[in-house]
Amino acid sequence: MGQIQAGIIPVTPFQQNCTILFDDETREGVIVDPGGDVDVILQVIAENGITLKAIWLTHGHLDHAGGAAELKEKTGLTIIGPHKDDLPLLQRIETQAATYGIEGLRSVVPDQWLEDGDTVSFGDHSFEVYHCPGHAPGHVIYFNRGQKFAHLGDVLFSGSVGRTDLPGGDHQTLMNSIRDKVLPLGDDVGFICGHGPGSRIGDERRSNPFIQGL
C-alpha cells in the first residue's frame, strides 16, 4: 500500500477545489466534489494514469456536486455522500445554476447516503465520515486517521469558515460542528478544503479569528 496523494482541479466560476485522492503506488483513487468542468477532470485523470473507484460528495451546493451526474454518466462511478439532509440542495442544482448563469450543471441524487460514523475507502485507505452541518444541512467530512489527513469541504478554511447565509445554513450549528467534530481530530491533522489553500487544524485553532474561543 502506498501513501495517499491529493491533486486539486479548480472547477466552475467559484474555483472550487475538486480533489483527486489516490494511492501513489496503485494509482487508484476517488474524486471528491466534482462540481463541474467534467471534461477537464477526465483529462487530468487520464494524463495522470489514475483509476477512479467512486465519487465522494461533501455537500449539495452546485459548485461541489454539479458535475457528479455527468461524471457518473461518463464513467459509471458510484456517487457516495453526502448526508440525506442535503437532498433538497442536490435537487435544486439546475435552478441554482440558472440563477448564476452557469450552464451544464445538473441536479443529482447519490447512490449512497452517508451517516455520522460511517466509513468509506478506496484500496487499503479508510476514511471516517463525520456529519458536520452548518454550512449545509447534510455536509460531511472525510478523515484518514493513518495519515492524519482530512477533507473538510466548506466547513473550515485556512483563516475562515464556511458561509452560513445560504439556504440551510446556520452559524451556531457550524460552530458546533467545528468544535465537536473537526477540532478533536487533532492539531497535527492536515486538511484540504473546498476553496483556497489547505492548512492544519492546529494552525487554525491558534490563528483563525472565526473559531477563537471554541
Side-chain angles (χ1 to χ4, degrees):
M1 179 180 69
Q3 295 291 302
I4 298 171
Q5 299 293 322
I8 291 175
I9 309 169
V11 297
T12 80
F14 296 98
Q15 292 294 282
Q16 190 273 128
N17 289 337
C18 173
T19 305
I20 307 165
L21 302 179
F22 64 98
D23 184 288
D24 62 1
E25 291 183 2
T26 67
R27 310 300 287 181
E28 292 183 350
V30 296
I31 191 149
V32 183
D33 288 355
D37 301 325
V38 170
D39 288 342
V40 174
I41 294 170
L42 291 173
Q43 180 179 348
V44 171
I45 294 295
E47 289 174 349
N48 288 276
I50 296 169
T51 301
L52 291 179
K53 296 298 184 180
I55 299 165
W56 295 356
L57 299 180
T58 63
H59 64 292
H61 287 153
L62 78 166
D63 54 327
H64 291 256
E70 181 183 351
L71 187 60
K72 175 184 177 178
E73 192 175 82
K74 292 183 174 180
T75 62
L77 294 170
T78 298
I79 301 173
I80 300 174
H83 185 279
K84 61 182 179 296
D85 286 354
D86 264 10
L87 177 59
L89 292 177
L90 292 164
Q91 292 175 322
R92 292 201 303 266
I93 287 176
E94 291 167 22
T95 302
Q96 290 178 319
T99 300
Y100 287 102
I102 304 173
E103 298 181 353
L105 305 189
R106 290 162 53 183
S107 301
V108 65
V109 176
D111 299 290
Q112 176 187 337
W113 297 111
L114 292 173
E115 298 283 347
D116 192 79
D118 282 349
T119 301
V120 293
S121 62
F122 63 89
D124 293 322
H125 301 292
S126 178
F127 287 74
E128 301 166 20
V129 175
Y130 295 85
H131 181 208
C132 293
H135 174 69
H139 200 302
V140 298
I141 63 171
Y142 301 96
F143 174 51
N144 181 269
R145 192 170 294 274
Q147 288 191 213
K148 298 180 179 179
F149 165 77
H151 195 303
L152 301 183
D154 284 1
V155 174
L156 180 66
F157 299 114
S158 175
S160 188
V161 296
R163 293 176 59 177
T164 55
D165 59 338
L166 300 170
D170 182 80
H171 179 74
Q172 189 56 54
T173 300
L174 179 66
M175 292 298 105
N176 293 346
S177 290
I178 294 171
R179 181 193 65 207
D180 299 338
K181 302 290 181 66
V182 176
L183 296 182
L185 298 180
D187 283 357
D188 54 351
V189 170
F191 66 86
I192 286 174
C193 43
H195 304 266
S199 183
R200 290 192 178 274
I201 289 177
D203 293 340
E204 299 312 304
R205 186 197 301 271
R206 288 184 290 270
S207 64
N208 189 320
F210 294 90
I211 63 170
Q212 296 307 299
L214 289 184

PDB file of all heavy atoms in Angstrom, residues 1 15 17-18 41 45 50 65 75 88 108-109 116 118 158 160 168-169 177 182 203 209:
ATOM      1  N   MET A   1       0.838  -1.205   0.000  1.00  0.00           N
ATOM      2  CA  MET A   1       0.000   0.000   0.000  1.00  0.00           C
ATOM      3  C   MET A   1       0.863   1.241   0.000  1.00  0.00           C
ATOM      4  O   MET A   1       1.808   1.358   0.775  1.00  0.00           O
ATOM      5  CB  MET A   1      -0.913   0.015   1.228  1.00  0.00           C
ATOM      6  CG  MET A   1      -1.809   1.248   1.335  1.00  0.00           C
ATOM      7  SD  MET A   1      -2.887   1.226   2.793  1.00  0.00           S
ATOM      8  CE  MET A   1      -1.670   1.420   4.101  1.00  0.00           C
ATOM      9  N   GLN A  15     -14.285  28.465  -8.570  1.00  0.00           N
ATOM     10  CA  GLN A  15     -12.942  27.925  -8.307  1.00  0.00           C
ATOM     11  C   GLN A  15     -12.955  26.969  -7.106  1.00  0.00           C
ATOM     12  O   GLN A  15     -12.163  27.091  -6.173  1.00  0.00           O
ATOM     13  CB  GLN A  15     -11.936  29.063  -8.095  1.00  0.00           C
ATOM     14  CG  GLN A  15     -11.665  29.864  -9.356  1.00  0.00           C
ATOM     15  CD  GLN A  15     -10.956  29.024 -10.438  1.00  0.00           C
ATOM     16  OE1 GLN A  15      -9.765  28.794 -10.354  1.00  0.00           O
ATOM     17  NE2 GLN A  15     -11.696  28.561 -11.441  1.00  0.00           N
ATOM     18  N   ASN A  17     -12.369  23.508  -5.158  1.00  0.00           N
ATOM     19  CA  ASN A  17     -11.272  22.541  -5.163  1.00  0.00           C
ATOM     20  C   ASN A  17     -11.778  21.123  -5.403  1.00  0.00           C
ATOM     21  O   ASN A  17     -11.892  20.321  -4.468  1.00  0.00           O
ATOM     22  CB  ASN A  17     -10.508  22.579  -3.840  1.00  0.00           C
ATOM     23  CG  ASN A  17      -9.691  23.834  -3.664  1.00  0.00           C
ATOM     24  OD1 ASN A  17      -9.332  24.505  -4.625  1.00  0.00           O
ATOM     25  ND2 ASN A  17      -9.382  24.169  -2.414  1.00  0.00           N
ATOM     26  N   CYS A  18     -12.084  20.785  -6.637  1.00  0.00           N
ATOM     27  CA  CYS A  18     -12.355  19.391  -6.957  1.00  0.00           C
ATOM     28  C   CYS A  18     -11.071  18.615  -6.666  1.00  0.00           C
ATOM     29  O   CYS A  18      -9.993  18.987  -7.131  1.00  0.00           O
ATOM     30  CB  CYS A  18     -12.750  19.257  -8.427  1.00  0.00           C
ATOM     31  SG  CYS A  18     -12.905  17.556  -8.996  1.00  0.00           S
ATOM     32  N   ILE A  41     -11.758  17.487 -15.806  1.00  0.00           N
ATOM     33  CA  ILE A  41     -11.480  16.476 -14.781  1.00  0.00           C
ATOM     34  C   ILE A  41     -11.031  15.171 -15.424  1.00  0.00           C
ATOM     35  O   ILE A  41     -10.021  14.569 -15.028  1.00  0.00           O
ATOM     36  CB  ILE A  41     -12.729  16.240 -13.903  1.00  0.00           C
ATOM     37  CG1 ILE A  41     -13.054  17.492 -13.085  1.00  0.00           C
ATOM     38  CG2 ILE A  41     -12.533  15.032 -12.989  1.00  0.00           C
ATOM     39  CD1 ILE A  41     -14.392  17.425 -12.371  1.00  0.00           C
ATOM     40  N   ILE A  45      -7.410  13.177 -15.088  1.00  0.00           N
ATOM     41  CA  ILE A  45      -7.376  11.787 -14.629  1.00  0.00           C
ATOM     42  C   ILE A  45      -6.597  10.921 -15.624  1.00  0.00           C
ATOM     43  O   ILE A  45      -5.727  10.117 -15.250  1.00  0.00           O
ATOM     44  CB  ILE A  45      -8.802  11.247 -14.457  1.00  0.00           C
ATOM     45  CG1 ILE A  45      -9.536  11.975 -13.318  1.00  0.00           C
ATOM     46  CG2 ILE A  45      -8.795   9.741 -14.217  1.00  0.00           C
ATOM     47  CD1 ILE A  45      -8.943  11.752 -11.965  1.00  0.00           C
ATOM     48  N   ILE A  50      -4.713   7.695 -13.452  1.00  0.00           N
ATOM     49  CA  ILE A  50      -5.442   7.362 -12.221  1.00  0.00           C
ATOM     50  C   ILE A  50      -6.715   6.593 -12.561  1.00  0.00           C
ATOM     51  O   ILE A  50      -7.433   6.939 -13.502  1.00  0.00           O
ATOM     52  CB  ILE A  50      -5.770   8.642 -11.429  1.00  0.00           C
ATOM     53  CG1 ILE A  50      -4.481   9.308 -10.960  1.00  0.00           C
ATOM     54  CG2 ILE A  50      -6.676   8.335 -10.233  1.00  0.00           C
ATOM     55  CD1 ILE A  50      -4.663  10.696 -10.416  1.00  0.00           C
ATOM     56  N   ALA A  65     -21.258  19.682  -6.322  1.00  0.00           N
ATOM     57  CA  ALA A  65     -21.950  18.477  -6.797  1.00  0.00           C
ATOM     58  C   ALA A  65     -22.493  18.589  -8.211  1.00  0.00           C
ATOM     59  O   ALA A  65     -23.016  17.617  -8.750  1.00  0.00           O
ATOM     60  CB  ALA A  65     -23.102  18.137  -5.838  1.00  0.00           C
ATOM     61  N   THR A  75     -18.552   7.663 -16.704  1.00  0.00           N
ATOM     62  CA  THR A  75     -17.598   6.704 -16.135  1.00  0.00           C
ATOM     63  C   THR A  75     -18.245   5.487 -15.484  1.00  0.00           C
ATOM     64  O   THR A  75     -17.575   4.481 -15.263  1.00  0.00           O
ATOM     65  CB  THR A  75     -16.728   7.385 -15.063  1.00  0.00           C
ATOM     66  OG1 THR A  75     -17.575   7.840 -13.987  1.00  0.00           O
ATOM     67  CG2 THR A  75     -15.961   8.570 -15.642  1.00  0.00           C
ATOM     68  N   PRO A  88     -32.602  18.306  -0.653  1.00  0.00           N
ATOM     69  CA  PRO A  88     -33.210  19.479  -1.298  1.00  0.00           C
ATOM     70  C   PRO A  88     -32.205  20.317  -2.087  1.00  0.00           C
ATOM     71  O   PRO A  88     -32.530  20.844  -3.155  1.00  0.00           O
ATOM     72  CB  PRO A  88     -33.794  20.270  -0.124  1.00  0.00           C
ATOM     73  CG  PRO A  88     -34.040  19.242   0.939  1.00  0.00           C
ATOM     74  CD  PRO A  88     -32.905  18.285   0.804  1.00  0.00           C
ATOM     75  N   VAL A 108     -28.763  16.031  -8.899  1.00  0.00           N
ATOM     76  CA  VAL A 108     -28.301  14.655  -8.741  1.00  0.00           C
ATOM     77  C   VAL A 108     -28.796  14.075  -7.416  1.00  0.00           C
ATOM     78  O   VAL A 108     -28.999  14.813  -6.448  1.00  0.00           O
ATOM     79  CB  VAL A 108     -26.750  14.603  -8.803  1.00  0.00           C
ATOM     80  CG1 VAL A 108     -26.129  15.339  -7.619  1.00  0.00           C
ATOM     81  CG2 VAL A 108     -26.240  13.174  -8.881  1.00  0.00           C
ATOM     82  N   VAL A 109     -29.014  12.787  -7.404  1.00  0.00           N
ATOM     83  CA  VAL A 109     -29.291  12.051  -6.172  1.00  0.00           C
ATOM     84  C   VAL A 109     -28.220  10.970  -6.059  1.00  0.00           C
ATOM     85  O   VAL A 109     -28.019  10.198  -6.999  1.00  0.00           O
ATOM     86  CB  VAL A 109     -30.693  11.411  -6.178  1.00  0.00           C
ATOM     87  CG1 VAL A 109     -30.908  10.568  -4.918  1.00  0.00           C
ATOM     88  CG2 VAL A 109     -31.764  12.489  -6.273  1.00  0.00           C
ATOM     89  N   ASP A 116     -23.189   9.972  10.074  1.00  0.00           N
ATOM     90  CA  ASP A 116     -22.098  10.168  11.019  1.00  0.00           C
ATOM     91  C   ASP A 116     -21.637   8.808  11.545  1.00  0.00           C
ATOM     92  O   ASP A 116     -22.441   7.985  11.965  1.00  0.00           O
ATOM     93  CB  ASP A 116     -22.577  11.043  12.184  1.00  0.00           C
ATOM     94  CG  ASP A 116     -21.438  11.524  13.048  1.00  0.00           C
ATOM     95  OD1 ASP A 116     -20.767  12.491  12.649  1.00  0.00           O
ATOM     96  OD2 ASP A 116     -21.208  10.934  14.120  1.00  0.00           O
ATOM     97  N   ASP A 118     -20.029   6.528   9.654  1.00  0.00           N
ATOM     98  CA  ASP A 118     -19.773   5.605   8.547  1.00  0.00           C
ATOM     99  C   ASP A 118     -18.285   5.611   8.190  1.00  0.00           C
ATOM    100  O   ASP A 118     -17.526   6.506   8.586  1.00  0.00           O
ATOM    101  CB  ASP A 118     -20.581   6.008   7.307  1.00  0.00           C
ATOM    102  CG  ASP A 118     -22.042   5.609   7.390  1.00  0.00           C
ATOM    103  OD1 ASP A 118     -22.394   4.830   8.306  1.00  0.00           O
ATOM    104  OD2 ASP A 118     -22.837   6.074   6.548  1.00  0.00           O
ATOM    105  N   SER A 158      -8.608  27.818   5.563  1.00  0.00           N
ATOM    106  CA  SER A 158      -7.427  28.486   6.081  1.00  0.00           C
ATOM    107  C   SER A 158      -7.786  29.943   6.370  1.00  0.00           C
ATOM    108  O   SER A 158      -8.026  30.725   5.453  1.00  0.00           O
ATOM    109  CB  SER A 158      -6.297  28.418   5.052  1.00  0.00           C
ATOM    110  OG  SER A 158      -5.173  29.152   5.490  1.00  0.00           O
ATOM    111  N   SER A 160     -10.594  31.054   7.739  1.00  0.00           N
ATOM    112  CA  SER A 160     -12.009  31.387   7.644  1.00  0.00           C
ATOM    113  C   SER A 160     -12.850  30.140   7.934  1.00  0.00           C
ATOM    114  O   SER A 160     -12.320  29.074   8.257  1.00  0.00           O
ATOM    115  CB  SER A 160     -12.328  31.951   6.260  1.00  0.00           C
ATOM    116  OG  SER A 160     -13.654  32.442   6.202  1.00  0.00           O
ATOM    117  N   GLY A 168     -30.371  26.793   4.268  1.00  0.00           N
ATOM    118  CA  GLY A 168     -29.997  25.650   5.099  1.00  0.00           C
ATOM    119  C   GLY A 168     -28.813  25.905   5.997  1.00  0.00           C
ATOM    120  O   GLY A 168     -28.455  25.047   6.813  1.00  0.00           O
ATOM    121  N   GLY A 169     -28.182  27.079   5.862  1.00  0.00           N
ATOM    122  CA  GLY A 169     -27.028  27.392   6.698  1.00  0.00           C
ATOM    123  C   GLY A 169     -27.431  27.904   8.065  1.00  0.00           C
ATOM    124  O   GLY A 169     -28.492  28.518   8.239  1.00  0.00           O
ATOM    125  N   SER A 177     -20.294  22.139  14.900  1.00  0.00           N
ATOM    126  CA  SER A 177     -19.647  21.094  14.107  1.00  0.00           C
ATOM    127  C   SER A 177     -18.125  21.213  14.184  1.00  0.00           C
ATOM    128  O   SER A 177     -17.415  20.210  14.331  1.00  0.00           O
ATOM    129  CB  SER A 177     -20.099  21.175  12.647  1.00  0.00           C
ATOM    130  OG  SER A 177     -21.447  20.800  12.492  1.00  0.00           O
ATOM    131  N   VAL A 182     -14.526  18.670  14.180  1.00  0.00           N
ATOM    132  CA  VAL A 182     -13.289  18.969  13.463  1.00  0.00           C
ATOM    133  C   VAL A 182     -12.097  19.126  14.409  1.00  0.00           C
ATOM    134  O   VAL A 182     -11.074  18.439  14.257  1.00  0.00           O
ATOM    135  CB  VAL A 182     -13.449  20.228  12.588  1.00  0.00           C
ATOM    136  CG1 VAL A 182     -12.121  20.577  11.924  1.00  0.00           C
ATOM    137  CG2 VAL A 182     -14.530  20.016  11.536  1.00  0.00           C
ATOM    138  N   ASP A 203      -3.017  24.960  13.377  1.00  0.00           N
ATOM    139  CA  ASP A 203      -2.786  26.339  12.933  1.00  0.00           C
ATOM    140  C   ASP A 203      -4.077  27.143  12.970  1.00  0.00           C
ATOM    141  O   ASP A 203      -4.076  28.327  13.347  1.00  0.00           O
ATOM    142  CB  ASP A 203      -2.218  26.343  11.512  1.00  0.00           C
ATOM    143  CG  ASP A 203      -0.811  25.757  11.436  1.00  0.00           C
ATOM    144  OD1 ASP A 203      -0.135  25.713  12.489  1.00  0.00           O
ATOM    145  OD2 ASP A 203      -0.408  25.334  10.336  1.00  0.00           O
ATOM    146  N   PRO A 209      -9.435  33.645  13.177  1.00  0.00           N
ATOM    147  CA  PRO A 209     -10.228  34.532  14.039  1.00  0.00           C
ATOM    148  C   PRO A 209     -11.677  34.095  14.195  1.00  0.00           C
ATOM    149  O   PRO A 209     -12.335  34.515  15.161  1.00  0.00           O
ATOM    150  CB  PRO A 209     -10.138  35.885  13.323  1.00  0.00           C
ATOM    151  CG  PRO A 209      -9.884  35.548  11.892  1.00  0.00           C
ATOM    152  CD  PRO A 209      -9.024  34.323  11.923  1.00  0.00           C
TER     153      PRO A 209
END
